[in-house]
Amino acid sequence: QLQLVESGGGLVQAGGSLRLSCAASGNTFGINTMGWYRQAPGKQRESVAILSGGITMYADSVKGRFTISRDNAKNTVSLQMNSLKPEDTAVYYCGAGGSRTTDWRRLDFWGQGTQVTVSS
């Protein structure tokens, strides 16, 4: 089992920055995908930034603004979000799984989520 705990969400004005962190505990062996995903009210969950099988992928909407990083020694995955826009408002989730995948539906473990609100 793997436990994921997110932190770092909050309220920020448009153009501002936030940094999200995800702390993983438990059995990290065999985890090939870790990433950040978000879900806005009334919308489907979507992938934001993914580390999978040595590859880094970003949603087109966040390219150039968000950066995902992983610290294997600390078992953390972080998401630096710059130049935030109101449309970035959502609950952000950390997800992980054994599959090498870009499909969030195939992930096995999820954090509880952290709210990010960007005001205009």
Side-chain angles (χ1 to χ4, degrees), residues 25-70:
S25 60
N27 187 8
T28 60
F29 180 78
I31 297 298
N32 289 299
T33 296
M34 289 193 74
W36 287 96
Y37 308 81
R38 67 186 181 189
Q39 188 166 14
K43 294 187 177 181
Q44 191 176 42
R45 188 168 297 191
E46 62 176 355
S47 300
V48 176
I50 305 168
L51 297 170
S52 183
I55 299 172
T56 304
M57 291 165 282
Y58 294 96
D60 288 343
S61 59
V62 307
K63 283 181 181 176
R65 301 189 297 123
F66 291 11
T67 303
I68 188 172
S69 59
R70 181 172 181 174

